[in-house]
Amino acid sequence: MDAVCSHRRKTREVIVGSVVVGGASPVSIQSMTTTDTHDAKKTLAQAQDLFSAGADIVRVTLPDKAALSAFSKIANEAAGPIVADIHFDASLALAALESPAAAIRINPGNIGDNDIVDAIFVAAKKSNKAVRIGVNAGSLEKDIAEEPNTSLSQKLAKSAKRFSCRAEALGFTNYVVSAKVHSVKETISANRELAKTLPEVPLHLGVTEAGDAIQGTVKNAVALSTLLREGIGDTLRISLTEDPCLEVEAARALLASLELRMLGPEFITCPTCGRTKVDLITLAKEARARFSRLKKPLSIALMGCAVNGPGEAKAADIGVAFGDGYAAIFQAGRIVERVRAEEALDALEKRIDAI
Amino acid sequence: MDAVCSHRRKTREVIVGSVVVGGASPVSIQSMTTTDTHDAKKTLAQAQDLFSAGADIVRVTLPDKAALSAFSKIANEAAGPIVADIHFDASLALAALESPAAAIRINPGNIGDNDIVDAIFVAAKKSNKAVRIGVNAGSLEKDIAEEPNTSLSQKLAKSAKRFSCRAEALGFTNYVVSAKVHSVKETISANRELAKTLPEVPLHLGVTEAGDAIQGTVKNAVALSTLLREGIGDTLRISLTEDPCLEVEAARALLASLELRMLGPEFITCPTCGRTKVDLITLAKEARARFSRLKKPLSIALMGCAVNGPGEAKAADIGVAFGDGYAAIFQAGRIVERVRAEEALDALEKRIDAI
């Protein structure tokens, strides 16, 4: 396998509000609100934060009928497409399809009844909405779960195929499929199996219950980079037990590191060591807060060492290397300005704005 | 490429104090202190934290002669092998080889003089210490850096080969090689090139200046998982602009997700959503603090939803699913106890201790 990605699998386009998933569209980034949906104000604010951070699509749980008016307000006012997350209760799925949601996510295995699943597909078709058919290792249908001599990834693909066939039989094709498990290895093999089984269907990638910031990021990056390199995956969510804005940050970093989609600046920051005279961890967070709004794919270096810094980061578009009390601003590998350390980020910002 | 790793490249064993790097030994985890080395107490405490977190080898910068006695005290008292990080000043390299350090890390490109590099190899051989020859895209020798029609990865491999040949000519073989750059793609190709060019030499992997917690973890996970899957890599450091204990946590998660080395528990934690009634992010951090000391590769689930939780996490060895005010402890997919939510971690700990 090469360091870069193979050609993307050719899938059909699925319309999720203003975002196209699949086809030739770039791999889209999803995340999910963690606030109480009944609290429309708080949830809308979090959804907007996620869109500002770079999410293309945001999912919001619709836990009960009482949350429906709040949910509708959120979907109506959000800066991008909102997906209703539905569990168990098919009537909520039907209600969401009449709301301003762009799509719904169902796990047909926990809806239970095939006729009801069919009714959801029919309603989605009628309302021009998208559906994510999300199968999950923890909630496979009983007959599939108990099938002997069948691997977990084959079972997940079988379950997805079953519901995909029902949708197609009803003439409904505006759906994507996901198969989520919490093992990296099974995530890879399940999605390879799905790609084979459902060649035209866009796939939503993710490792479920992946863990907290570091472990969750590692598991998702390992699994999803393997799949994306093979051309598999049209949209993704990196689930973390953390502030969901970090999910978006991780997704952006993943797509950038695979050179699939450059979204805003990349930060080149040294890990600091006993030579560093400033609090680079805090400065790096401050720089991310200031500059991650940029849409341009700029590489910005923050180096804790005035001796090695400019040399080691000379490939960066712009950067600052901190010495003892002062800082050197460098651009295209050449020092262009020296300022006091505490003025470094302001000086950097001025130059970045000029680019 | 398969979901699991190919056979490890067959390298020779390099002795770094009590740790063997290369050969049939497991991929070792390295990190680096960020404290001021002159402060022996603080730096030793951080080194011990890193060893407790699971680091096999810890690097400490030796910035000047004045730090030598503190450095020696640290290397003497640390729970594992300490590597002296040397920049520019060859006399410090020679001093470190006479100290209790297990190894030194040099960048021959910034030592400058070949005779001095030779003297370092001779001294390392005499003192039975290891050397890491660390070449870096930012500090290649001028003649190599300016070579036309040569890719960066070829240049890095050429530079490493040059110093490797000098070491071997002196009969010194107790060294590892690293080539660090901050692009994922170049990290992959440079290490592939090294693996070809220096077939017997153990490789130390890492992406340099990778960034803060999330971006840095993504870049390292993508690059290093690709290489480890190909059987390339004997030891690694995930550099983050963060508390270095997170570097160790990321490295453990990486090796576990590739099923290369299971070190302690894996946490299966849901990303929370509008259905969650507890502060699962805080509970997950608390669980990691309590249980990451375990040496057994146990999977521990923390789910924010009493309805989906036990089912979705039934593959976990043990777990807790939080409802509204209460929590269900489950083991091997079966609920074994119900407790008040605030007692859940204590109840979990009791059962984990019993396993």
Side-chain angles (χ1 to χ4, degrees):
Chain A
M1 188 187 307
D2 204 355
V4 289
C5 298
S6 327
H7 280 296
R8 278 264 296 287
R9 203 168 63 99
K10 226 183 151 73
T11 54
R12 63 185 167 219
E13 293 187 344
V14 167
I15 312 301
V16 182
S18 54
V19 173
V20 179
V21 173
S25 50
V27 176
S28 49
I29 296 173
Q30 307 209 21
S31 184
M32 186 170 180
T33 54
T34 58
T35 46
D36 182 354
T37 307
H38 300 90
D39 187 338
K41 197 175 154 196
K42 216 167 152 185
T43 303
L44 180 60
Q46 198 183 45
Q48 304 295 54
D49 284 348
L50 292 169
F51 285 119
S52 299
D56 300 296
I57 298 170
V58 170
R59 183 157 48 117
V60 173
T61 193
L62 180 57
D64 50 43
K65 281 260 156 46
L68 196 59
S69 76
F71 176 85
S72 295
K73 185 180 154 64
I74 297 157
N76 228 347
E77 296 181 19
I82 296 289
V83 180
D85 193 56
I86 307 293
H87 277 269
F88 302 104
D89 188 343
S91 70
L92 289 171
L94 296 171
L97 290 169
E98 287 176 11
S99 83
I104 62 169
R105 182 263 179 187
I106 55 167
N107 177 346
N110 73 24
I111 297 280
D113 185 306
N114 281 338
D115 291 340
I116 297 179
V117 172
D118 284 356
I120 293 172
F121 291 143
V122 169
K125 190 184 173 192
K126 205 175 131 200
S127 58
N128 286 315
K129 302 268 160 104
V131 172
R132 168 151 70 97
I133 300 174
V135 301
N136 189 303
S139 52
L140 282 167
E141 306 96 277
K142 204 164 180 285
D143 63 319
I144 291 180
E146 290 173 354
E147 219 168 275
N149 307 320
T150 312
S151 69
L152 177 59
S153 49
Q154 288 169 328
K155 288 177 185 176
L156 288 159
K158 258 192 184 181
S159 172
K161 172 88 177 173
R162 177 180 287 179
F163 296 109
S164 153
C165 287
R166 299 197 79 86
E168 308 257 342
L170 296 162
F172 177 63
T173 55
N174 202 42
Y175 66 92
V176 307
V177 159
S178 66
K180 295 206 183 171
V181 284
H182 46 70
S183 127
V184 167
K185 198 170 146 184
E186 294 286 2
T187 299
I188 296 170
S189 45
N191 281 286
R192 284 178 179 159
E193 195 70 32
L194 281 183
K196 256 193 321 197
T197 311
L198 301 167
E200 289 174 42
V201 179
L203 296 184
H204 168 118
L205 306 182
V207 178
T208 192
E209 289 117 28
D212 49 9
I214 297 287
Q215 183 195 287
T217 300
V218 167
K219 289 176 72 172
N220 275 285
V222 172
L224 273 46
S225 67
T226 304
L227 291 164
L228 290 166
R229 283 254 182 71
E230 296 173 8
I232 296 172
D234 300 276
T235 185
L236 59 86
R237 176 192 179 197
I238 294 187
S239 314
L240 302 176
T241 309
E242 253 302 349
D243 174 350
C245 284
L246 295 186
E247 300 188 347
V248 179
E249 193 180 316
R252 286 172 64 149
L254 176 65
L255 295 179
S257 74
L258 293 169
E259 300 181 10
L260 270 174
R261 202 174 158 194
M262 303 305 282
L263 296 144
E266 181 182 20
F267 293 91
I268 294 164
T269 58
C270 81
T272 86
C273 70
R275 294 186 300 273
T276 312
K277 304 292 183 203
V278 292
D279 179 4
L280 200 71
I281 297 175
T282 303
L283 284 162
K285 286 194 211 304
E286 162 81 10
R288 181 172 290 281
R290 281 200 200 198
F291 305 127
S292 63
R293 62 178 160 78
L294 299 172
K295 299 286 171 242
K296 217 180 132 116
L298 205 64
S299 58
I300 303 174
L302 278 121
M303 308 294 287
C305 175
V307 182
N308 296 332
E312 294 207 352
K314 69 183 163 206
D317 293 313
I318 192 163
V320 49
F322 290 91
D324 203 351
Y326 72 98
I329 311 285
F330 54 94
Q331 210 163 340
R334 211 170 51 83
I335 293 175
V336 289
E337 189 179 354
R338 272 172 207 281
V339 296
R340 289 191 305 147
E342 56 273 25
E343 292 162 359
L345 289 188
D346 288 338
L348 194 63
E349 187 162 7
K350 208 174 272 179
R351 286 185 179 267
I352 285 174
D353 286 342
I355 296 180
Chain B
M1 188 186 303
D2 205 354
V4 291
C5 298
S6 328
H7 280 298
R8 277 264 296 285
R9 204 168 62 100
K10 226 184 150 72
T11 54
R12 62 186 168 219
E13 293 187 343
V14 167
I15 312 301
V16 182
S18 55
V19 173
V20 179
V21 173
S25 50
V27 176
S28 49
I29 295 173
Q30 307 208 23
S31 185
M32 186 170 181
T33 54
T34 57
T35 47
D36 182 353
T37 307
H38 299 90
D39 186 338
K41 199 176 156 196
K42 216 167 150 185
T43 303
L44 181 60
Q46 197 182 48
Q48 304 295 52
D49 283 348
L50 291 170
F51 286 119
S52 300
D56 300 298
I57 297 170
V58 170
R59 183 156 49 117
V60 174
T61 194
L62 180 56
D64 49 43
K65 281 262 156 46
L68 196 59
S69 76
F71 177 85
S72 296
K73 184 179 156 63
I74 297 158
N76 228 348
E77 296 181 19
I82 296 289
V83 180
D85 192 56
I86 307 292
H87 277 267
F88 301 103
D89 188 343
S91 70
L92 289 172
L94 297 170
L97 289 168
E98 286 176 9
S99 83
I104 62 169
R105 181 264 180 187
I106 54 167
N107 177 345
N110 73 25
I111 297 281
D113 185 306
N114 282 336
D115 291 341
I116 297 178
V117 173
D118 283 356
I120 293 172
F121 291 144
V122 169
K125 189 183 174 193
K126 205 176 132 200
S127 58
N128 286 314
K129 302 270 160 102
V131 172
R132 168 151 69 97
I133 300 174
V135 301
N136 189 303
S139 51
L140 282 166
E141 307 96 275
K142 203 164 179 288
D143 63 320
I144 290 180
E146 290 173 355
E147 219 167 276
N149 309 318
T150 312
S151 69
L152 177 60
S153 49
Q154 288 170 327
K155 288 178 185 175
L156 288 160
K158 258 192 183 181
S159 172
K161 172 89 177 173
R162 177 180 287 178
F163 295 109
S164 155
C165 287
R166 298 198 80 87
E168 308 256 341
L170 296 162
F172 177 64
T173 55
N174 202 42
Y175 66 91
V176 305
V177 160
S178 66
K180 295 204 183 173
V181 283
H182 45 72
S183 126
V184 166
K185 196 170 147 184
E186 294 286 3
T187 300
I188 295 170
S189 47
N191 281 285
R192 284 177 179 159
E193 194 71 32
L194 281 183
K196 256 193 323 198
T197 311
L198 302 167
E200 290 174 41
V201 179
L203 296 184
H204 168 118
L205 306 182
V207 178
T208 192
E209 291 117 29
D212 49 9
I214 297 287
Q215 182 193 286
T217 300
V218 167
K219 288 177 71 171
N220 275 284
V222 172
L224 274 46
S225 67
T226 303
L227 291 164
L228 290 166
R229 283 252 183 71
E230 295 173 9
I232 297 173
D234 301 276
T235 184
L236 59 86
R237 176 194 180 196
I238 293 187
S239 314
L240 302 176
T241 309
E242 254 301 349
D243 174 350
C245 284
L246 295 186
E247 299 188 346
V248 179
E249 193 181 316
R252 287 173 64 149
L254 177 65
L255 296 179
S257 74
L258 293 169
E259 298 180 10
L260 270 173
R261 202 174 158 193
M262 302 305 281
L263 297 144
E266 182 183 20
F267 294 91
I268 294 164
T269 58
C270 82
T272 85
C273 70
R275 294 187 301 274
T276 312
K277 304 292 182 200
V278 293
D279 178 4
L280 200 72
I281 298 175
T282 304
L283 284 162
K285 286 194 210 304
E286 162 80 12
R288 180 172 291 280
R290 280 201 201 197
F291 305 128
S292 64
R293 62 178 160 77
L294 299 171
K295 299 284 173 248
K296 217 180 133 116
L298 205 64
S299 59
I300 303 174
L302 279 122
M303 307 294 286
C305 174
V307 182
N308 298 332
E312 293 206 352
K314 69 183 165 208
D317 294 315
I318 192 164
V320 49
F322 290 91
D324 202 352
Y326 73 97
I329 311 285
F330 54 94
Q331 211 163 339
R334 213 169 51 81
I335 293 176
V336 290
E337 190 178 354
R338 273 173 207 279
V339 295
R340 289 190 303 148
E342 55 274 26
E343 291 162 358
L345 289 188
D346 289 337
L348 193 65
E349 186 161 6
K350 208 175 271 176
R351 287 185 179 267
I352 285 174
D353 287 342
I355 295 180

